[in-house]
Amino acid sequence: MSRMAEKPQGLEPYFDRLFDAASRRNIEKGKLSIYDNMVRDSIQIEAEKELAIEEATAEALERGLLEGLAKGKAEGKAEGKAEGALAANLEAARRFKSAGVALDIICQCTGLTFEQVQEL
């Protein structure tokens, strides 16, 4: 290990343990428990940090999905209202047309285009 310039990629966690074990051999026996506690604490801190990141990511994702769902519902309602209004205008235009009302007046009253009224 002393001749290695760097740890092989993808195997870093395993080599970290090997280097840790090698470095423990150089520590005085009285200080070994302090070193072990420091290593254990740093591992726990890293694990807690990863958990916090995962939880924050999940919360942000959930919040974003809920906001997207609410936006989608609002857009769907707006589209539904617009489609309902269009259907009502088309029905009114059909009745006006069958009653013989001039097409330009039907367009003015319903907001439909001349082409839409002609196709009825």
Side-chain angles (χ1 to χ4, degrees):
M1 284 194 327
S2 63
R3 290 181 277 178
M4 293 179 65
E6 56 186 61
K7 301 170 195 170
Q9 288 190 354
L11 300 174
E12 290 91 349
Y14 304 107
F15 277 84
D16 287 342
R17 291 182 190 151
L18 287 172
F19 282 106
D20 182 51
S23 63
R24 289 183 84 232
R25 292 183 62 202
N26 298 327
I27 298 174
E28 296 175 24
K29 288 189 179 192
K31 296 180 182 178
L32 192 56
S33 65
I34 295 170
Y35 175 79
D36 287 341
N37 288 339
M38 288 173 50
V39 170
R40 185 190 68 237
D41 291 346
S42 68
I43 290 170
Q44 181 161 353
I45 289 169
E46 191 62 33
E48 289 173 357
K49 189 169 45 170
E50 287 179 24
L51 179 62
I53 290 170
E54 287 176 15
E55 288 175 349
T57 302
E59 183 180 327
L61 179 62
E62 182 179 332
R63 197 176 308 143
L65 289 176
L66 292 177
E67 289 171 3
L69 181 62
K71 183 178 177 184
K73 283 182 178 180
E75 289 175 2
K77 284 181 182 179
E79 286 179 21
K81 286 181 182 178
E83 289 174 6
L86 177 62
N89 286 341
L90 288 170
E91 182 58 33
R94 275 189 204 98
R95 289 183 181 163
F96 283 138
K97 192 173 178 184
S98 68
V101 177
L103 297 184
D104 59 329
I105 295 175
I106 297 173
C107 293
Q108 288 176 356
C109 293
T110 61
L112 297 174
T113 65
F114 191 80
E115 292 77 26
Q116 286 174 313
V117 175
Q118 273 186 321
E119 290 177 8
L120 296 175

